[in-house]
Amino acid sequence: MTRTLEDFCDGLMTDEEPMTRLEPEGFATEFAAFFGLSGRPTLADLTDTFEQAGIGKVSPARLPGDLRGIHYPLPDGSRAIHYQEGQWEASSEYTVLHEGYEIVYETLWLRCHGEASVQKGAPRPTALRRRC
């Protein structure tokens, strides 16, 4: 059975305070364990996992300026995740993981509050604890 973004978020939502599990180190450990990733997943591992789990379709792209990564929704409800082409692989892996973290955060925010989170100046997880 393929584990999905929704399955992962459902697990996070079983806590009394689900946003506490979004602290980066604990989140990384839980995310890797849930999706069966090693402690040092490759870009290919991340791409396969993100696409199979419905987190987003991952691909390199020429991004403007010094932007290293971006994600956005597509008309069919899926998401695209782009990382700057030409980066060394470890940098691309970090960028893809970062974009995935933001997608989980946005998904949990929507589930907790019924509205999309604000990208710039969005409250950090500690501020969200009081509301979720």
Side-chain angles (χ1 to χ4, degrees), residues 77-95:
S78 65
R79 293 174 203 82
I81 299 171
H82 298 300
Y83 59 91
Q84 183 66 267
E85 65 182 21
Q87 297 183 97
W88 59 295
E89 188 163 336
S91 182
S92 297
E93 293 162 356
Y94 177 84
T95 299

Side-chain angles (χ1 to χ4, degrees), residues 6 8 10 15-16 19 27 33 37-38 45 53 55 57-58 71 81 85 90 116 119 121-122 128 130:
E6 289 74 26
F8 183 67
D10 287 345
D15 282 351
E16 284 185 33
M19 300 311 266
F27 174 82
L37 293 167
S38 72
D45 294 336
I55 296 169
K57 179 150 179 57
V58 178
H71 69 275
I81 299 171
E85 65 182 21
Q119 290 295 320
L128 298 175
R130 291 180 226 118

Side-chain angles (χ1 to χ4, degrees), residues 99-116:
E99 296 303 319
Y101 176 85
E102 287 186 352
I103 290 168
V104 171
Y105 182 92
E106 292 165 2
T107 302
L108 284 175
W109 181 277
L110 182 61
R111 286 175 168 222
C112 286
H113 303 287
E115 62 185 32

